[in-house]
Amino acid sequence: MPRWKLTTEFTFDSAHYIKDYDGPCGRMHGHSYRVQVEATSNQLHPSEHCPHPVMVADFRSLRWAKKDVTKGGLDHGVLNEILPPEYETTAEMIAKYIYDVTKKRVPEGVKLKVRVSETTNSWVEYEDDDS
Ligand SMILES: [Zn+2]
């Protein structure tokens, strides 16, 4: 079936440490996280800001994590203090957290893929099952 795929990319800067990690990642340090969010759908929807069914999902609902931590995003915060305790602050779990929060903000039926990078040469992906 034909479908639309939106992709948006943004960065945020935050501090974190990996609990009980025996090595440098266990000490507080920072990253410029790069995030890509893909939203796929075979139908279009209205959004909070537009009453007409003309978009897969509002780009604003895909880019919330870029906002300052005091405004509900992840920028310039300590991820260990922002993420609920069931999420560790590995790139894997940051991707899952962004996925989980974004999923609640996009219309039902929109498939998501979230990629997170802490460094220029490594990425993690978390996505909906295609089956
Ligand atoms: Zn790190």
Side-chain angles (χ1 to χ4, degrees), residues 5 62 64:
K5 183 187 281 184
L62 304 177
W64 63 270

Side-chain angles (χ1 to χ4, degrees), residues 85-113:
E86 64 268 29
Y87 298 88
E88 188 44 80
T89 61
T90 57
E92 287 87 337
M93 295 211 77
I94 295 166
K96 179 173 175 6
Y97 178 69
I98 293 172
Y99 170 98
D100 288 344
V101 173
T102 307
K103 195 77 180 174
K104 292 181 199 146
R105 298 180 181 210
V106 298
E108 218 178 304
V110 172
K111 291 194 170 190
L112 290 179
K113 180 186 284 189

Side-chain angles (χ1 to χ4, degrees), residues 38-53:
E38 276 182 21
T40 308
S41 176
N42 55 21
Q43 55 181 335
L44 300 181
H45 310 93
S47 87
E48 192 184 337
H49 307 285
C50 177
H52 311 296

